[in-house]
Structures are given as C-alpha cells and as structure tokens.
Amino acid sequence: MADKNSMANAIRALAMDAVQQANSGHPGAPMGMADMAVALWSRHLKHNPANPHWADRDRFILSNGHASMLIYALLHLTGYDLPLQELKDFRQLHSKTAGHPEVGVTPGVETTTGPLGQGLGNAVGMALAEKLLAAEFNRPGHAIVDHHTYVFLGDGCLMEGISHEACALAGAWKLNKLIALYDDNGISIDGQVAPWFVDNVAQRFEAYQWNVIGPVDGHDVDAVDRAITEAQQGADRPTLIICRTQIGKGSPNRQDTAKAHGEPLGATEIALTRQTIGWEHGPFEIPQAIYADWDARPAGSAAEADWNARFTAYAQAHPQLAASFQRRMAGELPPDFARIAADAVAAAHERAETVASRKASQIALEAFTAQLPELIGGSADLTGSNLTNTSHTTALRFAAEGAVVLPEELSRRQQVAQNIAGVGKEDEATRNSPEPLPPSPPEAPSALAARFHVNYGVREFGMATVMNGIALHGGYIPYGGTFLTFSDYSRNAVRMAALMRQRVIHVFTHDSIGLGEDGPTHQSIEHAASLRLIPGLDVWRPADTAETAVAWAAALENRNRPTALLLSRQNLPYLPKRALGDIGRGAYVLAEPSDVGLRGKMRAVIIATGSEVQLALKAQQLLAQQRIAVRVVSMPSTSAFDRQSVQYKQSVLPDGVPRIAVEMGVTDGWWKYGAAAVVGIDRYGESAPAAKLFEFFGFTPENVADTVRAVLAR
C-alpha cells in the first residue's frame, strides 16, 4: 500500500529544494496542499502522463498559480515528460518550470495561472464545455465525454472579484462535475487574513447554489479522499471542499506564517524541516519506492486504452458524431471553411448594405453559426445591443435536475408554455400536465451545442475567463459580447488569452463617441489603442459588412491568437471596392486619386478605420475639387497589417508621401505609421446625439480635408 505521508513529503521536499535553488518562489502553499494533492492525484484524477492531451482526461487547474512547485512536483512524480533537471531549473530562462504554470510550456498544465482567481474562472469554462459536449455527443451506451474538472484555490482567489462572477455562473449552470478544493490556510503575503477577509465562505458558496463540504482536515489524506468521493456523487451543482491547512506544513519556524509564502525557507530551516517531517534524503533525491507509489503511467495508459476501445465502438455506431468530435477536439475548422468564409464575404459585397458594423457582425454570424457547430456565443447582458445571437442560436438553459435543455426541448417547452398561457378556462389538471418532451435525435452532430448562446449576466470579466476555459478545454470556439468601454473589466483575461494563444473572440460594440447620448462613461477613447498594445491579440475595426465578414473569418482561422472585434453602434455605408482579396491583410488601398477623376502623382494618403473610412472618402472628394490627389487606405486591423511583408506595406503606404490618420480615439498609436497628422480625440467625450459629437470633435469630411491641406502646406 502506498505510503501517503512519504508521497506528500516528496512534494514538500521538492518544493523546498527548487525554491531554495532558484532563490525565488513560493514554498508554503505547495507544502500546505501536499496532502490534498495526494488524495486527488493518487486516488481520483483520471489522466495519462504519456498523453497529456487525451480528450477525456480529468482537468486539473492550480488557480493559486504561485504554488507552481506543487504541480511541477506532481507532474514529475506521476511520470509526465518533466525530468528532475527541469525542477532544478525552476524559474530559469527557457526551463519548463516557469514561476507560474504556463499552458503549452509544461506538459500536463491545462491553463496559465498566476493572476489569482482566473484559474477558477477557467475551470468553470472547462466544466461547462465538458457538460455541453457530453449532452451533444454522448449516446445511450456511449459515454465518450465523462470527466471531472478539479481546481485548487486559495484565499487570494476568493478575494478577487472574479471568483464571485465565475462561481455564481457555475452554480447557475449546475456544473456538477466541477469540484473545487479550497486551501484554507488563513495566510497571505501581508499576514493573517482575518482582518481583511471576513467572508463566510461556506455560506457564500451555498448562496451560489454550490454543494459545500467541510471544513475537513486538509492534512488528512483519507478525509480529503472521502470528501472528493462525496463531491463526485453530486448531480445538480458544483462542489466546494473546504480544506483547513497550514501554510509551510512541516517547517518548524515558518509554518503558519507569511514568511512561508513567497521566499525560500533558507538552508537552516530546510534542514530543520527535513528532520521534522522525517525526510532523510538529500536535495532533489526521491527514493524509487516513492516514485513507484506516484507513478500514474500504468493506470493512465489503461484508462485511455479503455476509452479508445469505447470510442472505436462509438465511431462504428455513430460515425458522423465521432468524426465531428475528433475534428472539433483537434481545433480544426470544417474542411469547406474557406468556401463558407468566401461566400459570407461575397454575400456582404453583393448586398452592399448600410448597417452598423455590430449588425454586420450579426449578419456574418448568421452564416458562420449555420455551418460551424463549434461556435458558442454569448453576451454580458447586452445581447440586444451586441447582436451576438442569431437565428441558429438557442439560449443556454438547464433543467432543475441539472441536465442541459437541448434546443429541441427548449423550443418544445416554450411552445407548451405558450399553449398553456392561451388555454383560457382549460382545467387545472391539463394546465399542469404539459405533453412529454420528445427525445433528442439519435444523430445530429451539428444541431446542438454550437448553437447555444450564453447569457453571462453583467459579468464581463467572468465571461472572458470562462471563454478562456472553454477554448482551453477544446471542442468549441467561444465568442462573447459587451460594450468596448467595458473591455477594461475583462482586459486581464483578454491578455491571458493572448499569452496562452487561445482562439477566443471578443465582440466589442459601441466603439466610439458614435454611441452618442450615453456620454463619456460609455464612449471609448483609449480602448482601441490600448487593446492594440496587447501582444498576440488581433484587433479589427471594420468599416462595412464585407470588412466585418473578413474580420470574422480571420478570427475563426486564428488558431493561436484571440481576436477583438470593435464595432459601431451607428449605421455605416457600404464602401465601393475594386476587390476583396487584400482586406484580410489588415490594410488595403480603398480608393486611388483616379477614382475621383484625378491623374498624376498622389500627394497624401489618408488612413482610416471603421466608421471614419467614409469620412476619408468624402474628404478625398473635397480635395479632388482642388486637384489635390489623395489615396484612401482602409486599415481595419493594424495587427494584421503589421505582420505583412515590407513590400506590401510599402505598396499601401508608399515612402515619401505624407500620411494622415483618422480614428475616433487617442492619437498615440498612429505615429508609428509615420503619420504627419492625426484626426483623433485625446480627451473624453460628451453626452449628446452622435451627429452633434462628430461635428464638435471635428469628425467631418471638411476637417479631414483641412488637415490634409495643412500638412501639405508645411
């Protein structure tokens, strides 16, 4: 029988040694959570170290990511491709053991954590993805999606407001396969948390409609084991297990103090700790017997082999579903996606509609949600404004017992409700006995989860972290909407998506002073420029329906980066185009001087984005009346344009020709493009009708033309 104390002490020793060698890190939390980890990882966690990407593995998230040596020790001990030298290189350049866990760097790490609470939000997203995929793909006798999401979290995670947003959603969604283990040690960097963390955590989570177990002794492996077993029986709600622990467990002088949190214990204290816990081995020395107790490879390989056999039987019974599942979990778009995208762009060009770009986004989504079952949309309580729903999407709802209400069932329930509402004097017995709902169709690989639209409530940050978790889980491409000015609420999660290289799409509408009367609190000024500063985030601000369709296609094709779509509230005219092929390059020549009857050398280039491109075209016409030849460049995506070749960039923005940029936002970002002048806004907006604001702030064709003339007169 495995020696649970030695297994836990191996984690403590590795954490102490690695932090000491790096002279940097957080030893206390790994030492305190070691027994919790033994209970979960050696007795419950379904995983295969030989294949960290096995589709039906349990997901484990370390939300308190500063305790990274806990997961590194676990991955090493259980047999992942993380040799001991990597632990010795903890926090060193190019090692696989960064200061905080990073997905895509360390095998077995499911998400990048460190900003406290976001891992918990990611876990909610992963658990939602599991539940929806199970509802879509599982069939009687074929449970191919059947795994848990486990998350360790600490006091700091629960102090962060994101924990409230994400956990409230988890309760509303009845995510019964989400199990959170709370490391309740009462210590943070500043010391005992009691003076500033007075929450009754159990009552708080009960109010979220969670099942709460404990407090249990977090150093009693068997007690934690029993709590996890109990949590797994839940059918209609997630579970929080409160584990009372001691930070720096085993350290005679640092245990239960803030000194154990974020600094090495020191050689003397490490020696004393070894004596206290009975660890008689040198630095980074793990006896083979303990390695054997921890080795998860045989059980993991057997579990995956069993699943593979069951999936083979599933594929024989339901070949369409199996193929769809494999494609989506691999993150691949449908084979005919290029045609789907081209058709959407061509349709936009042919119709040439004058609509707000938020409406253009919905038009594009109509095409894409019809064809891509992996799309799952949502909005932070602004669906009617963001226009993130389509005729193909269904509001995500859950039955009282926790099951996903399938689109067909939801439609039937709504019809029954309408019938009941209109029965007049029908007897009460009939009124309370609606017809039974029809069963789900036996095979409909594209008819369910991708068409769901999620009501996130007023939770922008929660929405963003949940979408990151959905993307990380696999099987879906999430998108979600809010006003651009509220991107500030979700910004750190947007940054994390970029850091993790995840395909998450943010629909940010009402992108400028063009939203009008709501005033400066809602009018985005610095937001476009600010989002463009995030490395790895594609930002698109399209000018019409065709550019919006191209932006959506690019976002869907971006397997390794998130996208922000900045969209107008006000209507925008369709812009005449020679061709559509260069829109995807981020900037292209929209109009030459010859388009307004001029020949000869161009004297200036007007660069504009989004709703301001129409102003550039009108300014070009005004300047043509004075024989001033101007090129108009539409630049819907600076980030996409920045990746183009030097030759292409110079063909669009030729050297030696003055450039004038036009955008309803701060001017700073435009000087990098060699702008001689910028028509922008470096102050907050005002409350007034949009037309009045455009005139007041100088967003008129006349002012743009005057700015060009002023540059040429220098």
Side-chain angles (χ1 to χ4, degrees), residues 41 52-53 57-68 71-72 75 80 96 98-127 149-153 157 178 461 464-474 492-504:
W41 279 66
H53 303 292
R57 68 192 181 278
D58 288 339
R59 270 56 169 184
F60 173 78
I61 298 92
L62 184 68
S63 186
N64 43 349
H66 58 272
S68 55
I71 194 168
Y72 297 150
L75 294 171
Y80 284 79
K96 293 182 180 179
H100 293 82
E102 296 185 30
V103 68
V105 173
T106 312
V109 169
E110 300 283 3
T111 181
T112 300
T113 55
L116 291 175
Q118 287 200 55
L120 181 54
N122 297 162
V124 172
M126 293 181 192
T149 301
Y150 298 98
V151 54
F152 279 13
L153 59 131
C157 295
L178 172 62
F461 195 7
T465 62
V466 166
M467 289 198 298
N468 286 352
I470 292 172
L472 286 158
H473 181 280
N492 199 260
V494 176
R495 180 180 186 271
M496 292 300 291
L499 177 60
M500 295 188 290
R501 300 169 63 84
Q502 294 301 304
R503 179 165 45 189
V504 178

Side-chain angles (χ1 to χ4, degrees), residues 263-347:
E263 61 186 71
L265 297 182
T268 300
E269 187 67 15
I270 288 176
L272 291 172
T273 304
R274 277 183 154 79
Q275 294 176 13
T276 301
I277 66 176
W279 190 260
E280 300 176 351
H281 316 288
F284 297 103
E285 289 183 11
I286 306 294
Q288 286 303 312
I290 295 177
Y291 271 123
D293 285 343
W294 269 115
D295 190 0
R297 289 171 294 187
S301 294
E304 184 176 1
D306 174 71
W307 183 85
N308 287 337
R310 290 187 288 110
F311 189 82
T312 297
Y314 174 78
Q316 291 172 348
H318 306 284
Q320 264 191 295
L321 286 169
S324 180
F325 179 80
Q326 288 178 313
R327 177 187 68 76
R328 286 167 54 176
M329 291 303 294
E332 298 172 355
L333 294 172
D336 60 344
F337 178 77
R339 177 196 59 78
I340 295 168
D343 288 350
V345 176

